[in-house]
Amino acid sequence: NAGVTQTPKFQVLKTGQSMTLQCAQDMNHNSMYWYRQDPGMGLRLIYYSASEGTTDKGEVPNGYNVSRLNKREFSLRLESAAPSQTSVYFCASSEPRARYEQYFGPGTRLTVT
Amino acid sequence: GENVEQHPSTLSVQEGDSAVIKCTYSDSASNYFPWYKQELGKRPQLIIDIRSNVGEKKDQRIAVTLNKTAKHFSLHITETQPEDSAVYFCAASETPKGAQKLVFGQGTRLTINP
């Protein structure tokens, strides 16, 4: 049982490049989330998916898009990366009907130069 | 929307002493308050949570208290140990009907000095 997995672990992009961060969970959770973590600012919700086929904006969605590919997978896309998107990105999943805990992936450290 | 403030940003205590971290929230509709621990380079993990129908919850050396009237909640760690050194985050949300939109505090870096 791998829990929540993310790829890649590290990535360096140049300004204007695009990339997709991948996330998968094997816990049969309905809800999935993308956060970014910046020093001194805690974790901020970018987008979330309450269930397969639905996605919604969180606190800081600008510059990002998401796809809930199926129940297991939830990807985050940066279409034109900017230095302000340098951050650590965490994916998480939960099953609100069972318990409220969110399970986090190991994170992706992204640097945009 | 919800705003969560967390204090202090850094906290250093002697091993064996107690540590207290405090959070305030703004949205009276919030009724679920978890605490996450993040060790250096690792993912956040839930350590304890409380819902608004109780005022206090304990789990061994960790306790959380909630004052809904004042809109603040606190994490208490007693008999601190070196492995308690980490960054701690509080969060708040409404009881999730679907997805759970947590709003996190800024984090507290706790250092336990031997």
Side-chain angles (χ1 to χ4, degrees):
Chain A
N1 202 349
V4 180
T5 56
Q6 291 182 236
T7 55
K9 285 188 166 49
F10 302 94
Q11 184 71 49
V12 178
L13 290 178
K14 293 189 189 317
T15 297
Q17 288 185 318
S18 62
M19 79 161 295
T20 299
L21 281 65
Q22 306 285 356
C23 174
Q25 52 91 11
D26 62 1
M27 295 175 283
N28 201 35
H29 287 170
N30 273 297
S31 300
M32 297 185 74
Y33 313 83
W34 276 106
Y35 292 92
R36 60 177 290 173
Q37 183 175 34
D38 302 295
M41 300 189 75
L43 292 137
R44 293 182 292 168
L45 184 63
I46 305 171
Y47 270 93
Y48 66 97
S49 170
S51 60
E52 187 178 354
T54 69
T55 61
D56 280 292
K57 296 178 181 179
E59 295 175 71
V60 289
N62 290 347
Y64 305 95
N65 283 301
V66 291
S67 295
R68 184 73 183 266
L69 304 168
N70 48 55
K71 191 172 185 179
R72 289 187 65 247
E73 298 172 288
F74 188 37
S75 62
L76 178 72
R77 183 158 178 85
L78 287 71
E79 290 292 351
S80 178
S84 60
Q85 294 179 304
T86 293
S87 188
V88 180
Y89 292 85
F90 285 99
C91 176
S93 71
S94 71
E95 183 45 70
R97 296 173 301 177
R99 55 178 301 181
Y100 295 170
E101 178 174 2
Q102 289 193 15
Y103 294 84
F104 284 80
T108 294
R109 185 173 295 274
L110 175 67
T111 302
V112 183
T113 60
Chain B
E2 176 66 278
N3 183 50
V4 177
E5 297 286 336
Q6 182 172 346
H7 299 281
S9 56
T10 60
L11 180 60
S12 182
V13 303
Q14 289 299 121
E15 183 178 352
D17 288 350
S18 295
V20 180
I21 302 169
K22 299 183 179 182
C23 290
T24 60
Y25 62 99
S26 61
D27 190 347
S28 56
S30 291
N31 51 19
Y32 173 66
F33 307 94
W35 287 87
Y36 282 79
K37 175 183 180 182
Q38 186 179 28
E39 295 176 1
L40 189 62
K42 301 288 181 65
R43 69 192 79 189
Q45 291 189 292
L46 180 72
I47 55 170
I48 195 167
D49 57 9
I50 192 168
R51 302 184 198 182
S52 61
N53 56 346
V54 297
E56 183 175 3
K57 184 177 178 181
K58 279 186 179 180
D59 183 3
Q60 299 182 337
R61 297 185 297 106
I62 293 172
V64 57
T65 58
L66 171 65
N67 183 328
K68 280 220 79 177
T69 304
K71 294 200 190 76
H72 65 72
F73 56 112
S74 300
L75 178 71
H76 304 253
I77 306 173
T78 59
E79 301 172 15
T80 53
Q81 300 168 5
E83 54 264 36
D84 295 329
S85 292
V87 178
Y88 292 81
F89 293 97
C90 62
S93 76
E94 295 183 42
T95 303
K97 298 181 181 62
Q100 178 193 60
K101 294 172 63 177
L102 287 175
V103 177
F104 283 85
Q106 297 87 342
T108 296
R109 182 174 301 280
L110 175 62
T111 302
I112 308 302
N113 300 309

